[in-house]
Amino acid sequence: MKKFAIAAILASLSAGAFAAQGDIIARLRITNVNPQASVDKTLAAVHADVSDDTIPELDFTYMLTNNIGAELILGTSKHDVTSDLGKLGSVKVLPPTLTLQYHFNPEGQFRPYAGAGINYTRFYDVKNTDVLPWTVKKNSFGPALQVGIDMPLTKDVFLNLDMKKLWIKTKVSSNGTDLGTLDINPLVTSVGIGMKF
């Protein structure tokens, strides 16, 4: 009886593999983008900072092998920029991020993974207040790190928890005068639902 119970447990752990080589996984997540901001020059003097934002985010993973997947995330966030002078305005950030993931337990029900890759960030829709007119350099490239886990709800649908660290920065200027570098470097925490195709 004990051997049968052990065999049943092992079978249940291995029977629910929900992604394999050639599969496409789509996830819809609620994501908090929490900047770990740092600044220099004039921005540091006025203690400039950046607010967080919570957004919907869509991502797709293509499984190159049972263990290795390539993920592309898509989402855009809006951040208020504040300072000792008051609110400076806001900026929107679009950081498509590509990571190469390693899935540690491809035959199991619970599937943790870790990844690393690159983000390209586009800054757009800068809105100024009357405090100080400013603009930003519109493009940024930086590394990305990722950890997460998929947990099955049905055969093809699963719950996903994911955390990424992105390195994003831009130059800030006012009427041609350099105000400094703004490093946003957000911690990106997500929870969502995924499906295998």
Side-chain angles (χ1 to χ4, degrees), residues 29-179:
R29 302 190 275 218
I30 299 298
T31 295
N32 179 256
V33 183
N34 186 11
Q36 314 293 298
S38 64
V39 292
D40 62 11
K41 299 182 181 177
T42 304
L43 295 176
V46 299
H47 298 101
D49 201 1
V50 184
S51 69
D52 70 337
D53 193 18
T54 299
I55 61 168
E57 177 252 293
L58 181 65
D59 73 83
F60 297 95
T61 301
Y62 178 73
M63 297 305 298
L64 302 168
T65 71
N66 286 1
N67 290 95
I68 298 172
E71 180 188 87
L72 177 66
I73 68 164
L74 302 169
T76 187
S77 56
K78 178 182 177 182
H79 302 277
D80 291 332
V81 182
T82 59
S83 74
D84 290 344
L85 304 175
K87 181 179 174 180
L88 299 180
S90 64
V91 62
K92 291 182 180 177
V93 178
L94 175 66
T97 301
L98 181 65
T99 60
L100 193 65
Q101 304 169 334
Y102 187 83
H103 293 254
F104 293 96
N105 189 26
E107 300 301 324
Q109 291 255 352
F110 298 94
R111 186 172 178 151
Y113 57 85
I118 188 169
N119 76 83
Y120 161 74
T121 298
R122 179 76 173 173
F123 294 87
Y124 69 102
D125 197 20
V126 173
K127 295 191 182 300
N128 287 275
T129 62
D130 295 332
V131 174
L132 178 71
W134 55 280
T135 58
V136 298
K137 184 180 176 183
K138 297 192 180 297
N139 303 298
S140 169
F141 287 91
L145 295 176
Q146 173 185 38
V147 292
I149 187 169
D150 293 320
M151 298 171 285
L153 299 175
T154 69
K155 180 182 177 183
D156 294 320
V157 179
F158 52 89
L159 175 68
N160 173 256
L161 303 176
D162 185 273
M163 182 177 291
K164 294 182 182 70
K165 176 67 176 181
L166 307 182
W167 280 265
I168 298 171
K169 66 180 180 179
T170 187
K171 293 284 189 180
V172 182
S173 60
S174 177
N175 297 321
T177 300
D178 180 15
L179 298 181

